[in-house]
């Protein structure tokens, strides 16, 4: 799931996907949901983990061409998001140029083949055991319009690493970009997000690190929302 955020206008929800088997069960299910809700943006892209970096480039290039927004946001579909809190968080930075917002991290570069998040181009990052440069975790991040435009303009020459979040971070190295580390974009599921909500520090995004999303999201997402979600009228009454 992806968002285009135009403050103070409404949030546009968009999903997009093509399965690797055209006309299969997944494609038919998508067609049925699209006919029901009409909220899918179809890109010329086939789903696959190793194609996430390419999808990211295609998404931002397409979105910035279609919608005039202050921010463009990517969020995985197994992450719980409080939309009003997200909008309020982004509105704090809307007057700044070249903004990159998310939970910034620097994990190890994994050289060993066969492990999750293996980096085939590990040698580019120096000695074995080195860490990546700081970049936003891939569950949710936002970039300002000028950065989305930069990706669109230079998409043919932007290098794709194995991991999508690393690729995005690499595209901004060498640019005068402000990295904003917002820890409300990577809260843990209850009790973590619940405690924070009770303390008045509502989370933007909630997920389980070990699952890279809400574990068993189909079963648990409603419970997470009940315990950590903002008021149902929050989005409609928020002032950005």
């Amino acid at each position: 799931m992806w968002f285009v955020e135009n403050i103070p206008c409404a949030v546009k929800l968009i999903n997009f996907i093509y399965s690797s088997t055209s006309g299969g069960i997944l494609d038919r299910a998508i067609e049925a949901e699209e006919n029901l809700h009409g909220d899918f943006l179809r890109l010329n892209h086939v789903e696959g983990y190793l194609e996430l970096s390419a999808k990211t480039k295609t998404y931002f290039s397409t979105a910035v061409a279609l919608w005039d927004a202050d921010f463009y946001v990517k969020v995985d579909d197994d992450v719980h998001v409080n939309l009003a809190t997200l909008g309020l968080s982004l509105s704090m930075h809307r007057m700044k140029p070249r903004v990159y917002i998310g939970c910034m991290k620097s994990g190890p570069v994994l050289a060993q083949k066969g492990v999750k998040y293996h980096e085939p181009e590990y040698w580019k990052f120096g000695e074995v055991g080195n860490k990546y440069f700081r970049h936003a975790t891939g569950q949710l991040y936002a970039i300002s319009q000028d950065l989305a435009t930069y990706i669109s303009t230079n998409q043919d020459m932007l290098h794709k690493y194995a991991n999508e979040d690393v690729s995005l971070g690499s595209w901004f190295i060498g640019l005068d970009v402000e990295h904003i580390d917002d820890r409300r974009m990577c809260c843990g599921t209850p009790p973590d997000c619940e405690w924070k909500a009770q303390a008045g520090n509502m989370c933007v995004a909630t997920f389980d690190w070990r699952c890279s999303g809400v574990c068993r999201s189909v079963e648990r997402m409603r419970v997470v929302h009940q315990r950590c979600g903002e008021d149902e009228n929050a989005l409609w009454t928020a002032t950005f």
Side-chain angles (χ1 to χ4, degrees), residues 7 71 85-96 99 101 178 180 182 184 240:
I7 300 171
F71 294 96
T85 307
L86 171 62
L88 290 169
S89 177
L90 296 181
S91 68
M92 297 170 59
H93 308 289
R94 65 179 304 196
M95 302 306 294
K96 302 176 181 177
V99 178
I101 310 172
E178 182 177 357
I180 296 175
D182 189 340
R184 294 177 301 164
F240 299 131

Side-chain angles (χ1 to χ4, degrees), residues 98-101 104 135-136 142-143 168-169 172 177-180:
R98 299 178 302 281
V99 178
Y100 174 34
I101 310 172
M104 299 296 164
H135 61 280
I143 62 174
L168 185 77
F172 301 148
V177 173
E178 182 177 357
H179 290 56
I180 296 175

Side-chain angles (χ1 to χ4, degrees), residues 55-200:
K55 181 169 72 172
T56 300
K57 287 201 294 185
T58 303
Y59 159 67
F60 282 122
S61 300
T62 304
V64 77
L66 291 175
W67 293 288
D68 179 19
D70 293 316
F71 294 96
Y72 299 85
V73 182
K74 178 257 178 174
V75 56
D76 291 344
D77 60 6
D78 55 356
V79 171
H80 177 268
V81 180
N82 284 317
L83 293 178
T85 307
L86 171 62
L88 290 169
S89 177
L90 296 181
S91 68
M92 297 170 59
H93 308 289
R94 65 179 304 196
M95 302 306 294
K96 302 176 181 177
R98 299 178 302 281
V99 178
Y100 174 34
I101 310 172
C103 272
M104 299 296 164
K105 66 174 185 177
S106 178
V109 180
L110 301 179
Q112 182 180 350
K113 291 183 179 179
V115 300
K116 190 176 183 180
Y117 307 129
H118 166 61
E119 177 55 71
E121 297 181 272
Y122 62 89
W123 60 273
K124 290 185 177 180
F125 297 90
E127 302 299 323
V128 173
N130 279 359
K131 291 186 176 182
Y132 287 113
F133 41 80
R134 287 280 174 185
H135 61 280
T137 185
Q139 284 83 357
L140 183 148
Y141 52 74
I143 62 174
S144 53
Q145 186 185 75
D146 41 17
L147 293 183
T149 301
Y150 171 81
I151 292 173
S152 177
T153 302
N154 298 283
Q155 59 181 306
D156 292 337
M157 64 180 70
L158 294 176
H159 185 69
K160 302 187 297 293
Y161 288 102
N163 299 297
E164 163 251 337
D165 51 356
V166 172
S167 293
L168 185 77
S170 74
W171 299 338
F172 301 148
I173 290 179
L175 302 182
D176 187 13
V177 173
E178 182 177 357
H179 290 56
I180 296 175
D181 184 20
D182 189 340
R183 309 313 292 180
R184 294 177 301 164
M185 292 185 175
C186 55
C187 295
T189 54
D192 179 52
C193 58
E194 188 173 22
W195 289 341
K196 291 174 179 175
Q198 291 171 353

